[in-house]
Amino acid sequence: AQTVTQSQPEMSVQEAETVTLSCTYDTSESDYYLFWYKQPPSRQMILVIRQEAYKQQNATENRFSVNFQKAAKSFSLKISDSQLGDAAMYFCAYRSYSGAGSYQLTFGKGTKLSVIP
Amino acid sequence: EAGVAQSPRYKIIEKRQSVAFWCNPISGHATLYWYQQILGQGPKLLIQFQNNGVVDDSQLPKDRFSAERLKGVDSTLKIQPAKLEDSAVYLCASSLKGQGLNTEAFFGQGTRLTVV
């Protein structure tokens, strides 16, 4: 079974600065997807960024980028130019095949990010 | 495009009572998920449907939890009888079938259940 570990329960960053959230995972598969989701107090999980394991190039979405190290099974999220609206819980997730052509997500425990004005 | 709709947003019940949650996925999404998120933890998959068939319910406490997805669209999750440890946020998500682009899961706003 796949496991996802986020070792930082809480992080804080000064507004406009850069912060990196860590994630490691365990799998025996060679092809998979990894995701970072943001969960604000409204509780809705919002997709931040996605990485396909067979792509060596790190994914980037505006101020969000990842450092994907497949051999080390590491998938960290970097947020540049942090904004107050970035404050939320961030969850790392691994997508695995569950049968019948569909997939399911396994989540880490999350990192609570605070942004200091 | 309308998102995943869930109701109610909040529910407080006494232990041993029953409760039901409703989810309407994004139109055209064949896969529907129910997750349980206990405070301070990440979401845990309870059950996954593909159309109206169950793909995975290995982590569903079947002695008290049940779920159905009639006609392959809306879904309901029921707890009967509820226990104190069932207090959590129940998230519904949906996705297109497959692994290509745009098949990521989209989540509703969840139902916060408090069992007293």
Side-chain angles (χ1 to χ4, degrees):
Chain A
Q2 288 77 22
T3 57
V4 178
T5 302
Q6 293 179 249
S7 58
Q8 307 152 315
E10 296 188 31
M11 293 280 286
S12 62
V13 62
Q14 205 78 27
E15 193 175 5
E17 297 295 310
T18 296
V19 65
T20 298
L21 309 183
S22 300
C23 172
T24 58
Y25 58 94
D26 187 28
T27 184
S28 57
E29 298 176 339
S30 59
D31 190 18
Y32 47 87
Y33 281 67
L34 294 162
F35 301 84
W36 279 98
Y37 279 87
K38 169 185 177 182
Q39 187 179 42
S42 67
R43 301 199 301 265
Q44 187 163 16
M45 302 283 275
I46 301 165
L47 179 65
V48 174
I49 198 164
R50 160 192 25 218
Q51 175 77 42
E52 298 161 75
Y54 67 88
K55 288 188 176 180
Q56 293 188 340
Q57 186 175 6
N58 289 322
T60 299
E61 289 287 342
N62 301 314
R63 298 183 295 108
F64 299 86
S65 62
V66 299
N67 183 3
F68 174 49
Q69 301 290 328
K70 190 173 183 179
K73 297 179 182 176
S74 170
F75 182 60
S76 60
L77 174 70
K78 185 171 82 171
I79 306 174
S80 304
D81 185 25
S82 296
Q83 300 175 0
L84 295 177
D86 295 333
M89 285 291 293
Y90 285 81
F91 291 94
C92 177
Y94 175 100
R95 187 165 78 175
S96 56
Y97 185 66
S98 51
S102 62
Y103 297 79
Q104 60 183 242
L105 293 169
T106 300
F107 289 88
K109 290 189 174 184
T111 296
K112 183 179 181 180
L113 178 66
S114 301
V115 180
I116 304 165
Chain B
E1 179 183 83
V4 177
Q6 288 189 249
S7 66
R9 290 286 320 268
Y10 304 90
K11 191 73 177 179
I12 301 174
I13 61 171
E14 295 183 350
K15 59 183 179 182
R16 291 187 291 274
Q17 285 188 324
S18 62
V19 64
F21 312 127
W22 174 82
C23 173
N24 180 238
I26 292 174
S27 178
H29 280 194
T31 307
L32 185 146
Y33 313 83
W34 283 102
Y35 284 87
Q36 179 192 56
Q37 186 178 17
I38 293 173
L39 185 64
Q41 298 184 19
K44 181 186 82 171
L45 180 70
L46 290 176
I47 189 167
Q48 177 182 354
F49 291 94
Q50 181 85 303
N51 298 308
N52 60 352
V54 175
V55 175
D56 184 357
D57 63 357
S58 58
Q59 299 193 83
L60 186 75
K62 298 181 185 65
D63 57 335
R64 297 183 301 106
F65 285 65
S66 65
E68 60 182 11
R69 191 183 183 197
L70 299 176
K71 301 180 181 178
V73 182
D74 293 5
S75 177
T76 55
L77 176 69
K78 297 178 182 178
I79 308 175
Q80 182 179 12
K83 293 185 175 182
L84 296 177
E85 60 259 36
D86 298 332
S87 294
V89 173
Y90 290 85
L91 294 166
C92 180
S94 69
S95 70
L96 291 170
K97 184 178 177 179
Q99 176 148 263
L101 288 174
N102 302 318
T103 59
E104 67 266 22
F106 292 83
F107 287 80
Q109 289 191 292
T111 297
R112 182 182 295 279
L113 173 67
T114 302
V115 182
V116 298

